[in-house]
Amino acid sequence: METCPYASARENEARSFLAGWSNPAAHGVKCWYCDVDNIAKGSDILLIGLSPGGDENARRLDEENDYLKLPYTKRGFNSWLDENWLGKGPKHQQAMWRVFQTMFPQDWESKLRSSACTNVFPIRTGSVDAIDSDGWAFAETWFQKIMGHVQPKIVICNGNSNQNSAWSYLCKNFGCSLVREIDIGAKGKVKLGSFNTGVECKVLGLPSLSRFARESLFQAIETVGPF
């Protein structure tokens, strides 16, 4: 597992773009949150956010702990389970565990470890607003390759607002249509959608886990199953 030509090629594309991108808010590349074999060989489940986010401290954390190498070197690696994130990160990670426990109660950890996990845009920036038109143009090409290669049956979107989220990106660029929406209170919603690229792909749109990791969220996820 020391080499993975497909994942390495996509990561090199991201690094090449970053090298020519004049954006002072860019803080390095973080492509993979899972064993790269899940990306290269494909997976039934694709877990995505919009972008890595974070500042220089987050980039330094990746480098000091070899988090950028572990997807290539640790069998079954998963960032949601195996990394120690800063600030509110652990609560965010634990909320995602609950999501998978709700969706797949019998084998949730193996489902998470076997999922392909990445972002639409693979370059860390302080905020989504820092991504300019050149960044989004690169993301469109880059993520199209990932989606076509992984060929998931389920996409889980970490973020489902109607603007600047993984969910809104799928709606805009892949024709994802809303099938069902469940209100969980405090303006939070769980969304179920689908799109077709030759085969139907289900989409679960999660609200911000840092704000909505409450019982009503997990009850709603249970309602829209099975997956």
Side-chain angles (χ1 to χ4, degrees), residues 89-173:
K91 290 184 178 180
H92 195 175
Q93 289 170 295
Q94 290 165 17
M96 188 61 76
W97 303 350
R98 283 287 308 273
V99 169
F100 271 75
Q101 287 165 1
T102 303
M103 295 176 69
F104 310 106
Q106 302 301 317
D107 56 350
W108 74 271
E109 184 174 339
S110 65
K111 289 289 188 183
L112 182 51
R113 290 195 183 277
S114 64
S115 297
C117 305
T118 187
N119 287 298
V120 169
F121 184 67
I123 295 171
R124 189 184 292 284
T125 57
S127 71
V128 173
D129 293 337
I131 305 173
D132 59 19
S133 58
D134 289 339
W136 288 123
F138 171 76
E140 182 174 353
T141 300
W142 191 86
F143 187 68
Q144 286 273 2
K145 292 178 182 178
I146 302 300
M147 184 71 81
H149 190 86
V150 173
Q151 296 188 326
K153 296 178 181 177
I154 299 169
V155 179
I156 301 173
C157 293
N158 185 22
N160 71 3
S161 63
N162 291 328
Q163 291 184 330
N164 288 340
S165 72
W167 169 271
S168 65
Y169 189 88
L170 290 187
C171 291
K172 179 181 178 181
N173 293 280

Side-chain angles (χ1 to χ4, degrees), residues 56-72:
E56 184 71 15
N57 289 329
R59 181 192 64 78
R60 195 176 299 116
L61 180 72
D62 284 341
E63 294 178 350
E64 290 175 352
N65 292 279
D66 285 337
Y67 288 160
L68 302 180
K69 296 179 181 178
L70 289 176
Y72 293 92

Side-chain angles (χ1 to χ4, degrees), residues 4-22:
C4 180
Y6 180 81
S8 294
R10 301 289 78 76
E11 185 165 340
N12 287 338
E13 287 176 352
R15 293 190 182 280
S16 294
F17 173 77
L18 176 60
W21 193 31
S22 298

